[in-house]
Amino acid sequence: KAGVTQTPRYLIKTRGQQVTLSCSPISGHRSVSWYQQTPGQGLQFLFEYFSETQRNKGNFPGRFSGRQFSNSRSEMNVSTLELGDSALYLCASSSAVGLITEAFFGQGTRLTVV
Amino acid sequence: DAKTTQPNSMESNEEEPVHLPCNHSTISGTDYIHWYRQLPSQGPEYVIHGLTSNVNNRMASLAIAEDRKSSTLILHRATLRDAAVYYCILPKLSGAGSYQLTFGKGTKLSVIP
């Protein structure tokens, strides 16, 4: 069974640009969550999608958005990039059957904003 | 929200057992205890979870205190591949049946050959 796939693995963007990251969950998983990891703040929850609907959102500005498609693949978008957006962006999928569900993480997309 | 407290770092000799503690004194009766680990340059990886009883799987054991205010992740024989940051998490249930993982700073485990 293939794991969670994130593309691209590395990305360099300029301040003010926008970026789209992609996540393909494990087959059959309908929940996709996104996390941002930085050395200073650690791993922080961005948002979670289930069946194309955003069910939960973390404390991030509106520049961070996402969506989920009918095949459960998800994208996240960051507009008007700032230097502080440089981070590892991680996607996790789960079958979302209650609280006991384990989350499977991808290897992440390393975004560098210059 | 219930919080967890873990030591910043721990060391272990290879092939020795490792006990990674976690305090969660404000845990509620319905909070599950999850453990994840993150190896260098990789995304987090699920290790184990439990509610009240001790749990075992192929990776580790989870010992939960009777009052549930603390738990211990046990690696029975540490290998170099176990060197990672270990996170103790109480998943938070939000509206619409969603839950999120709130990662603290975790415990950085170093394994000495």
Side-chain angles (χ1 to χ4, degrees):
Chain A
K1 194 168 173 179
V4 177
T5 304
Q6 291 189 246
T7 56
R9 290 291 312 279
Y10 302 92
L11 207 47
I12 300 176
K13 289 285 188 178
T14 305
R15 268 183 304 175
Q17 286 187 313
Q18 67 104 22
V19 67
T20 299
L21 312 180
S22 179
C23 172
S24 293
I26 290 173
S27 178
H29 285 188
R30 295 164 65 188
S31 170
V32 173
S33 298
W34 287 90
Y35 293 80
Q36 180 197 64
Q37 185 170 30
T38 60
Q41 298 298 317
L43 271 153
Q44 294 186 284
F45 172 77
L46 280 157
F47 29 65
E48 187 248 359
Y49 286 86
F50 180 82
S51 293
E52 303 178 65
T53 301
Q54 186 184 89
R55 293 198 300 184
N56 197 5
K57 190 176 192 308
N59 189 24
F60 278 82
R63 300 185 297 107
F64 292 81
S65 63
R67 59 178 175 169
Q68 187 180 34
F69 302 95
S70 58
N71 61 358
S72 293
R73 189 178 70 85
S74 177
E75 288 181 347
M76 69 163 281
N77 184 278
V78 188
S79 63
T80 320
L81 283 165
E82 301 176 358
L83 295 179
D85 297 333
S86 295
L88 180 66
Y89 290 88
L90 291 155
C91 160
S93 79
S94 71
S95 58
V97 181
L99 282 175
I100 63 173
T101 305
E102 62 186 271
F104 295 84
F105 284 80
Q107 290 203 294
T109 294
R110 172 76 62 186
L111 172 66
T112 303
V113 182
V114 298
Chain B
D1 295 347
K3 293 189 187 300
T4 62
T5 304
Q6 299 177 253
N8 289 334
S9 62
M10 291 183 65
E11 271 187 359
S12 172
N13 293 319
E14 196 176 10
E15 298 190 5
E16 295 286 322
V18 183
H19 288 65
L20 298 163
C22 180
N23 286 321
H24 28 77
S25 58
T26 59
I27 192 171
S28 75
T30 56
D31 284 335
Y32 278 81
I33 303 159
H34 285 229
W35 284 80
Y36 283 76
R37 70 180 185 181
Q38 187 172 22
L39 279 64
S41 303
Q42 294 193 26
E45 173 187 33
Y46 167 83
V47 177
I48 200 167
H49 76 269
L51 182 62
T52 56
S53 306
N54 294 344
V55 185
N56 300 296
N57 66 20
R58 63 173 180 82
M59 288 180 69
S61 296
L62 176 60
I64 301 172
E66 200 170 324
D67 63 5
R68 298 204 336 119
K69 293 185 186 301
S70 66
S71 61
T72 302
L73 179 70
I74 302 166
L75 307 179
H76 296 286
R77 287 178 75 236
T79 68
L80 297 178
R81 194 195 173 277
D82 292 322
V85 178
Y86 286 78
Y87 298 97
C88 169
I89 299 168
L90 308 182
K92 172 187 169 185
L93 179 64
S94 301
S98 170
Y99 75 93
Q100 69 188 63
L101 303 175
T102 301
F103 290 82
K105 296 199 182 300
T107 297
K108 184 174 183 179
L109 175 66
S110 300
V111 179
I112 303 166

